[in-house]
Amino acid sequence: MKQTVGIIGLGLLGGSLAKALKAYTDYDVIGYARRQAVCDQALTDGAVTKASTDVGTIIEQADIVIFALPPHTNGRVFCDHCHRLRPGQIVTDVSSCKEALVQVIYEHLPKGVAFVSIHPMAGSEKGGYGESSKNLFQQMGWIVLTDDHPAYDEQVAEQLAQMGRAVGSRVEWLPMALHDNYLAMVSHMPHMMASIMALVAGGDADGVTRMKLSAGGFRDSTRTAGGLPSMWREIIYDNRYNVSLALQAVMQEIQHVQTLLDQDDGGAGIEHYLMRAKTVRDRLPLITGISKNSK
Amino acid sequence: MKQTVGIIGLGLLGGSLAKALKAYTDYDVIGYARRQAVCDQALTDGAVTKASTDVGTIIEQADIVIFALPPHTNGRVFCDHCHRLRPGQIVTDVSSCKEALVQVIYEHLPKGVAFVSIHPMAGSEKGGYGESSKNLFQQMGWIVLTDDHPAYDEQVAEQLAQMGRAVGSRVEWLPMALHDNYLAMVSHMPHMMASIMALVAGGDADGVTRMKLSAGGFRDSTRTAGGLPSMWREIIYDNRYNVSLALQAVMQEIQHVQTLLDQDDGGAGIEHYLMRAKTVRDRLPLITGISKNSK
């Protein structure tokens, strides 16, 4: 029997997921958005068969409820509406930072409701439904979080993994306890560093002149600094313990590089360092299968 | 009368310049490459009308000599062959780091030979003639360095600026004395940071697992870590004083961000910081006209 997926939040990720599920699976997709205009647009696009500005309506009619709001809003909306959930329903979320949210969910989840968290590694520095695309998940990672909590269900996890494969993603399994630390290293710290580099190179009186001299390297390494501050504030601040650890590791590396720059070895130490980094970075396309924009 | 451009070094930059000058200007283009196979390929491609593994031949037949070898090799080859230069000839270079090289050039340049340095802000982490393209310079910056040395010639500078416009670049004028410091901030430091982030996130035993969880942000912010260590060693080590200053500025910013993460303000300080960085980064496409890959 056709299952109904209820997407709570039709922003870039939720909207893209609606479009992708519609295009590549048999799920019936319905969705909640705060603004009526987004509901109307999603209906017009055929991304959902039903859209509502009332969360409760969507939760009650869905077999699988996907929370795709900003992290804090996910937690608040979940708490406000968790009493509507019924045994047999499946709950998941697509948040970038799990610990705080998942604690709240485990605390309030009604008995008999399964919860398996996922994290599609897709996005853009441009947010909102208007930027959403059915192909956002193609060739990207789709993390399914394993856990030993009673609400975790292996069959549900496999179903959500299959959903990821269906929309073109590569499924990665990860224990919940590692998620926030690992994501700080590969996503939240690099995001923070993009902002730091943008400000160091372009933030003062000579910044505009300097940025005119930049090329593709600066463009790419600072791209995520264009992301939505209100969203990234929640992700980074929620995960501040791990982000801080990652930044600490970066500072130690910088200090190491400074000693290499100070050596009178004609640059041999720097070349060795760059070679080690290249060996690591060259593995990325091989293990993730990325190709576009990798040049 | 048709002028002859002699490109010394047909790597990614020199090869691309040969192809671009051939495609978009009236210059006759000849070139030097160390390996006969590259000479043969450039001739086959029609990128040059003459190619030689003998530098002297190319220098003697060119009206405009463009040094496009790695920085140290540029200096060595220039010194070995500067006695062949004759009054009325024009010399330029496309190096990423100017101070050491330009000092050597000024010291040995025969009287009556004009020298104006340029820096096309184009490249790729993949090097070599095989990666060269006539469109490498489209929409990129093309820095022409002004100077008050007697060998500097305003008319020559304008001619080289025109060459940049012809191959599709946006010309930027910059005093020589500022070049290495500014480039450290927008190019060499970000390059070093890409290597540092690749090693922090992916350099240890869990690195492969972590990198599997990464998305477009990590891919882009570490892209340049895939660059040629032997080339970047020269650029970064030659400019180590300025790179070190820029890394120092990055460390100060990281420390500032750490204090924002430690504040119990719900992330307000972090959001303000991210907003400042976004304001700066959002200016980049406006001032440089970049569009592709900026999303």
Side-chain angles (χ1 to χ4, degrees):
Chain A
M1 206 186 70
K2 211 169 179 174
Q3 279 190 305
T4 299
V5 173
I7 301 179
I8 312 301
L10 296 172
L12 171 69
L13 217 98
S16 297
L17 194 52
K19 290 176 178 176
L21 291 176
K22 168 78 183 174
Y24 304 117
T25 74
D26 286 332
Y27 288 114
D28 181 40
V29 184
I30 61 178
Y32 155 83
R34 190 169 46 87
R35 294 190 300 130
Q36 186 62 46
V38 173
C39 289
D40 294 346
Q41 189 59 51
L43 278 168
T44 305
D45 294 347
V48 293
T49 54
K50 176 175 185 159
S52 171
T53 59
D54 177 53
V55 179
T57 311
I58 300 300
I59 289 180
E60 279 168 5
Q61 293 179 22
D63 301 303
I64 303 174
V65 182
I66 302 182
F67 283 87
L69 296 160
H72 289 184
T73 320
N74 265 344
R76 190 171 49 69
V77 170
F78 174 83
C79 285
D80 288 352
H81 296 276
C82 59
H83 61 277
R84 296 173 193 269
L85 292 163
R86 57 181 189 278
Q89 267 184 314
I90 292 168
V91 173
T92 186
D93 78 290
V94 297
S95 301
S96 296
C97 178
K98 299 295 185 189
E99 196 186 336
L101 175 68
V102 169
Q103 236 167 18
V104 165
I105 290 177
Y106 281 156
E107 205 170 311
H108 295 90
L109 197 74
K111 223 175 156 146
V113 179
F115 173 73
V116 176
S117 189
I118 60 173
H119 185 183
M121 294 306 301
S124 159
E125 76 280 13
K126 302 201 175 119
Y129 179 83
E131 297 288 327
S132 65
S133 152
K134 68 175 179 181
N135 292 324
L136 189 72
F137 308 99
Q138 301 282 346
Q139 288 189 286
M140 305 306 281
W142 177 281
I143 311 175
V144 181
L145 285 307
T146 59
D147 209 351
D148 52 11
H149 189 276
Y152 179 79
D153 182 305
E154 262 184 38
Q155 274 184 302
V156 168
E158 183 46 51
Q159 184 179 355
L160 294 175
Q162 191 47 43
M163 189 185 278
R165 290 179 203 114
V167 299
S169 287
R170 161 184 46 80
V171 171
E172 301 290 342
W173 299 87
L174 186 72
M176 178 70 82
L178 294 177
H179 179 274
D180 289 2
N181 178 270
Y182 279 15
L183 266 289
M185 301 281 252
V186 293
S187 172
H188 312 163
M189 172 278 280
H191 190 99
M192 209 62 245
M193 289 309 304
S195 298
I196 285 172
M197 286 191 277
L199 281 171
V200 165
D204 66 3
D206 300 323
V208 169
T209 306
R210 268 195 230 101
M211 287 203 298
K212 278 184 187 166
L213 312 177
S214 69
F218 185 75
R219 175 195 66 206
D220 290 352
S221 54
T222 60
R223 180 178 60 79
T224 58
L228 291 177
S230 57
M231 190 181 83
W232 280 94
R233 158 207 185 144
E234 294 189 11
I235 296 168
I236 287 170
Y237 193 78
D238 274 10
N239 201 17
R240 60 183 170 151
Y241 173 76
N242 290 303
V243 174
S244 197
L245 284 181
L247 290 176
Q248 197 61 42
V250 169
M251 284 217 283
Q252 278 172 12
E253 286 295 311
I254 293 178
Q255 278 162 348
H256 175 59
V257 166
Q258 299 270 36
T259 66
L260 298 177
L261 291 173
D262 286 345
Q263 278 172 206
D264 287 321
D265 62 355
I270 285 292
E271 182 171 350
H272 180 68
Y273 189 88
L274 294 171
M275 183 55 85
R276 275 176 52 215
K278 179 176 167 59
T279 305
V280 167
R281 177 55 175 75
D282 283 352
R283 262 183 232 143
L284 186 61
L286 301 175
I287 62 173
T288 63
I290 57 170
S291 56
K292 62 165 181 170
N293 291 349
S294 69
K295 180 172 176 175
Chain B
M1 207 185 70
K2 211 169 177 173
Q3 279 190 306
T4 299
V5 173
I7 301 179
I8 312 302
L10 295 172
L12 171 69
L13 217 98
S16 297
L17 193 52
K19 290 176 178 176
L21 292 176
K22 167 79 183 173
Y24 303 118
T25 74
D26 285 332
Y27 288 114
D28 181 40
V29 184
I30 61 178
Y32 155 84
R34 189 168 48 86
R35 294 191 300 129
Q36 186 61 46
V38 172
C39 290
D40 294 346
Q41 190 59 52
L43 279 167
T44 305
D45 294 346
V48 293
T49 53
K50 176 177 186 158
S52 172
T53 58
D54 177 53
V55 179
T57 311
I58 301 301
I59 288 181
E60 279 168 6
Q61 293 179 21
D63 301 302
I64 304 174
V65 182
I66 302 183
F67 283 87
L69 296 160
H72 289 184
T73 320
N74 265 344
R76 190 171 49 70
V77 170
F78 174 83
C79 286
D80 288 351
H81 295 275
C82 59
H83 61 278
R84 296 171 192 271
L85 292 163
R86 57 181 190 279
Q89 266 184 315
I90 293 169
V91 173
T92 186
D93 78 290
V94 297
S95 302
S96 296
C97 179
K98 299 296 185 189
E99 195 186 338
L101 175 67
V102 169
Q103 236 167 19
V104 166
I105 290 178
Y106 282 157
E107 205 171 310
H108 296 91
L109 198 74
K111 224 177 155 143
V113 179
F115 173 72
V116 176
S117 189
I118 61 172
H119 186 184
M121 294 306 301
S124 160
E125 77 281 12
K126 303 203 174 118
Y129 179 82
E131 296 288 327
S132 66
S133 152
K134 67 175 180 181
N135 292 324
L136 188 72
F137 308 99
Q138 300 283 346
Q139 288 190 285
M140 305 306 282
W142 177 281
I143 311 174
V144 181
L145 285 307
T146 59
D147 209 352
D148 52 11
H149 189 275
Y152 179 79
D153 182 305
E154 262 183 39
Q155 273 184 303
V156 168
E158 182 47 51
Q159 184 180 355
L160 294 175
Q162 190 48 43
M163 188 186 279
R165 290 181 203 112
V167 299
S169 288
R170 162 184 45 81
V171 171
E172 301 290 341
W173 299 87
L174 185 73
M176 178 70 82
L178 293 177
H179 179 275
D180 289 2
N181 179 269
Y182 279 17
L183 266 289
M185 301 281 252
V186 294
S187 172
H188 312 162
M189 173 277 280
H191 190 98
M192 208 63 244
M193 289 309 305
S195 297
I196 285 172
M197 285 191 279
L199 282 172
V200 165
D204 65 4
D206 299 324
V208 169
T209 307
R210 269 195 229 98
M211 287 202 296
K212 278 184 187 167
L213 311 176
S214 69
F218 185 75
R219 174 196 67 205
D220 290 353
S221 53
T222 60
R223 179 178 60 80
T224 58
L228 291 177
S230 56
M231 189 182 83
W232 281 94
R233 159 206 184 145
E234 294 190 10
I235 296 168
I236 287 170
Y237 193 77
D238 273 10
N239 201 17
R240 58 183 169 151
Y241 174 76
N242 290 302
V243 173
S244 197
L245 284 182
L247 289 176
Q248 197 61 42
V250 169
M251 284 216 283
Q252 278 172 13
E253 285 295 310
I254 293 179
Q255 278 161 347
H256 175 59
V257 166
Q258 300 269 37
T259 67
L260 297 178
L261 290 172
D262 285 346
Q263 279 173 205
D264 287 320
D265 62 355
I270 285 292
E271 182 172 352
H272 180 68
Y273 190 89
L274 294 170
M275 184 54 85
R276 275 176 53 214
K278 179 176 167 59
T279 305
V280 167
R281 178 55 175 74
D282 283 352
R283 264 183 230 140
L284 185 61
L286 301 175
I287 63 173
T288 63
I290 56 170
S291 57
K292 62 165 181 169
N293 291 349
S294 69
K295 179 172 177 175

